[in-house]
Amino acid sequence: MKKESDPAELQAVADMLKAIAHPVRLCIVRGLWQNGCCNVTHMQQCLGVPQSTVSQHLARLRQAGIIEGRRRGLEICYQLCSKKTEALMTCLFSPAVERKEEPLS
């Protein structure tokens, strides 16, 4: 049987879930998971929200340690930096393996 989880680990996971528990942030994280690196202008066009809104959501994700930005000339390219978040995206958005349902008796 597995030992009880460390409270600090549980808090870290809860914080990660809180950070992505907004439709815009979830869309950003899913897009970065699917496509890798992306800049604010591209995200803003895909999401159809103001640039300032995208920037606020990116700041929240950066503070949570989910994404990081790397400067490329005049733009900053954002990417996921959290393996736990990548694993969560895989669970949430990968095509499910089809299962044959057993009929109820």
Side-chain angles (χ1 to χ4, degrees):
M1 180 170 258
K2 191 175 179 181
K3 255 180 131 175
E4 278 190 44
S5 293
D6 175 23
E9 179 186 16
L10 293 174
Q11 186 62 54
V13 172
D15 290 343
M16 184 255 308
L17 292 171
K18 285 182 210 173
I20 64 171
H22 184 282
V24 172
R25 290 193 295 268
L26 184 58
C27 188
I28 290 169
V29 171
R30 183 178 64 178
L32 293 175
W33 172 70
Q34 291 172 329
N35 303 309
C37 199
C38 189
N39 66 32
V40 174
T41 302
H42 181 76
M43 288 182 217
Q44 186 252 330
Q45 291 169 348
C46 289
L47 294 166
V49 297
Q51 181 271 328
S52 60
T53 300
V54 174
S55 293
Q56 288 172 0
H57 287 296
L58 290 171
R60 177 73 172 91
L61 293 168
R62 269 194 321 271
Q63 289 170 347
I66 293 171
I67 64 169
E68 64 185 2
R70 295 186 184 206
R71 185 163 293 281
R72 272 201 222 158
L74 297 176
E75 70 180 16
I76 298 175
C77 189
Y78 292 93
Q79 63 188 21
L80 292 179
C81 63
S82 166
K83 296 295 182 191
K84 283 188 180 187
T85 304
E86 289 179 24
L88 179 61
M89 293 298 106
T90 300
C91 290
L92 293 174
F93 297 111
S94 288
V97 176
E98 290 188 32
R99 297 183 321 206
K100 187 173 182 180
E101 294 289 329
E102 293 290 325
L104 296 175
S105 305

